[in-house]
Amino acid sequence: MTISLDGYVTGPRDSLDTPMGIGGFRLFNWLDRRNDPGPSGQVYTEVLVTRAVISGRRTYEHADRWQGDHHDGVPIFVLTHNVPDDPPPGGVRYVTDVRECAAHARAAAGDGDVMVHGAGAAQALLRAGQLDELELHVVPVLLGQGRRLFDNLPAEHIELDAVRRLTTPQVEDLAQHVTHMRYRIRRP
């Protein structure tokens, strides 16, 4: 998940017309360097080898349903409260239970990784104990408002082990600076 330093995954007033909210696309300037050697290229390459995707319904809709294909036809499991009447495109499946959603995605991914999109989906998976790792792409910007990644969590400590930290080297365009951090979630 790409987040601002103050923890937002979108700017304020996100909607279908402005899917990242006001100023939220600033969070993805680091992707301009996704094909370059270095940390951002490495992380982007890893994203493309994930073998399944879990997405929250809001994120899925705001991303125009990725036209049914997130990357290379991997299965997409959309965690939703209500299954819509219209059938989903491509390899998309709606799931209403968080544990069932995680089980389907893990089975589809086999020995590969599952990517999660959306603050609501990440929070639901974390609350249900179904998230193994967090990969955060922290952009040095304060959005001030928007949709926070870690809202609506229970009042309990969740301990994390740092797995890696990659920082973009000094780049000419500071808007492309990002720190990629991966944490493993400790299980009690």
Side-chain angles (χ1 to χ4, degrees):
M1 298 265 193
T2 299
I3 65 170
S4 63
L5 191 58
D6 53 350
Y8 292 98
V9 295
T10 70
R13 295 191 294 279
D14 63 316
S15 68
L16 291 175
D17 293 330
T18 54
M20 290 303 299
I22 297 169
F25 277 108
R26 163 64 179 89
L27 296 175
F28 294 101
N29 289 352
W30 70 269
L31 286 171
D32 293 345
R33 303 187 73 84
R34 68 183 171 266
N35 296 318
D36 295 351
S40 293
Q42 175 185 340
V43 168
Y44 186 73
T45 298
E46 292 170 0
V47 164
L48 293 180
V49 297
T50 56
R51 308 247 310 267
V53 172
I54 294 175
S55 177
R57 173 85 178 271
R58 180 185 182 98
T59 299
Y60 174 70
E61 296 295 339
H62 285 202
D64 197 22
R65 301 177 171 199
W66 296 298
Q67 292 76 48
D69 183 12
H70 187 278
H71 64 276
D72 297 329
V74 301
I76 300 170
F77 300 90
V78 178
L79 188 56
T80 183
H81 295 288
N82 301 303
V83 175
D85 292 333
D86 61 323
V92 176
R93 182 171 173 193
Y94 294 113
V95 186
T96 57
D97 180 82
V98 66
R99 285 180 174 79
E100 181 184 341
C101 187
H104 287 306
R106 283 187 177 111
D111 61 354
D113 289 336
V114 175
M115 181 182 357
V116 177
H117 280 299
Q123 292 165 25
L125 290 160
L126 197 55
R127 281 191 307 269
Q130 296 297 308
L131 206 57
D132 299 321
E133 290 186 344
L134 291 171
E135 180 140 16
L136 304 175
H137 315 292
V138 182
V139 176
V141 65
L142 301 174
L143 293 179
Q145 294 181 2
R147 188 160 169 83
R148 287 189 187 272
L149 178 56
F150 297 115
D151 270 354
N152 306 311
L153 292 177
E156 64 183 46
H157 281 84
I158 298 173
E159 295 291 334
L160 308 172
D161 291 319
V163 174
R164 78 170 178 196
R165 179 176 177 256
L166 303 171
T167 302
T168 53
Q170 287 299 72
V171 290
E172 195 171 307
D173 184 355
L174 293 179
Q176 295 174 340
H177 187 77
V178 63
T179 300
H180 305 284
M181 299 184 296
R182 183 180 292 171
Y183 297 94
R184 187 164 293 113
I185 297 168
R186 286 190 195 171
R187 299 285 175 226

